[in-house]
Amino acid sequence: MITLYGIKACDTMKKARTWLDEHGVDYQFHDYKKEGISADKLNAWCSEHGWEKVLNRQGTTFRKLEDSDKKDIDTGKAIALMQANPSMIKRPVLDTGSQRLVGFKPDEYAAAFD
């Protein structure tokens, strides 16, 4: 089963959901702000893509952190931050079963379902 992870009220999420719907892709939506996300799942995503890609450092939630929380980030610290603040997880994360796509790029989605 294909799973789209993210937050419902995010503009990028809306674009991804629209793309999937328009291309007839069946998927399950997991709102990690409401349902949470396991450390194991975040660790797997960070192992596959690197915490630098999975942790959204451009968003308001990250920018509002204390400077000490923004320093010396490693995988463990990034996972703890994302679990405590799911808004810091880059969105969407699309799990096709064989791969995870982080962020929304129509050409990457097209390649994944070609």
Side-chain angles (χ1 to χ4, degrees), residues 80-111:
L81 285 170
M82 290 184 283
Q83 270 202 294
N85 305 285
S87 296
M88 285 191 217
I89 304 170
K90 178 91 176 200
R91 16 188 214 277
V93 175
L94 180 67
D95 186 340
T96 67
S98 61
Q99 65 179 325
R100 266 72 33 221
L101 304 176
V102 179
F104 173 66
K105 292 184 180 153
D107 56 331
E108 289 181 5
Y109 275 43

Side-chain angles (χ1 to χ4, degrees), residues 11 18 21 26 31 40 60 65 68 73 77 98:
D11 288 340
T18 298
D21 292 341
D26 279 336
D31 187 331
D40 288 343
T60 307
L65 288 175
S68 60
I73 297 176
K77 187 173 181 179
S98 61

